[in-house]
Amino acid sequence: MSNHSGSYMLNQVIEILDRHEMFSGIETTTAQTAIKEIIEMATNKYDCNQGEILEGYAQQFNLCYSCLADDANLDDGLCATCLRGWDETD
């Protein structure tokens, strides 16, 4: 069972930071590193869901919401590898 409320709270924190332009002016790799650290802490320690945390922001940070791969060519938040995996389960 995932900590959905924690995941959505962190998504809202990202939204607040984005609204205040905290990510503008910093390198994409720096933002990715920070977001990945938050997600790793949240998923490992608090059982949050990384897809819910990144909802609406995967494209902005070029991070696959499934595997956290750095990929500028995401399709609905998923990298090609994860997208193929989702297609195979259909």
Side-chain angles (χ1 to χ4, degrees):
M1 185 83 167
S2 212
N3 180 356
H4 299 290
S5 58
S7 302
Y8 290 123
M9 183 269 305
L10 288 171
N11 180 269
Q12 289 176 335
V13 169
I14 293 171
E15 179 184 339
I16 291 166
L17 294 172
D18 189 44
R19 191 173 62 240
H20 290 282
E21 300 179 4
M22 302 298 286
F23 299 110
S24 63
I26 65 172
E27 302 239 355
T28 301
T29 55
T30 302
Q32 287 173 331
T33 299
I35 296 297
K36 283 181 179 182
E37 283 184 42
I38 291 167
I39 289 172
E40 288 170 7
M41 178 268 309
T43 56
N44 293 332
K45 190 170 183 180
Y46 298 101
D47 194 31
C48 290
N49 180 295
Q50 62 196 39
E52 292 169 347
I53 296 169
L54 276 175
E55 188 173 329
Y57 292 98
Q59 300 288 137
Q60 179 176 335
F61 297 112
N62 295 332
L63 289 173
C64 174
Y65 76 79
S66 182
C67 71
L68 298 181
D70 175 1
D71 191 335
N73 298 310
L74 298 174
D75 185 356
D76 203 23
L78 290 170
C79 67
T81 302
C82 290
L83 191 59
R84 275 192 303 275
W86 280 98
D87 288 343
E88 291 173 5
T89 59
D90 289 344

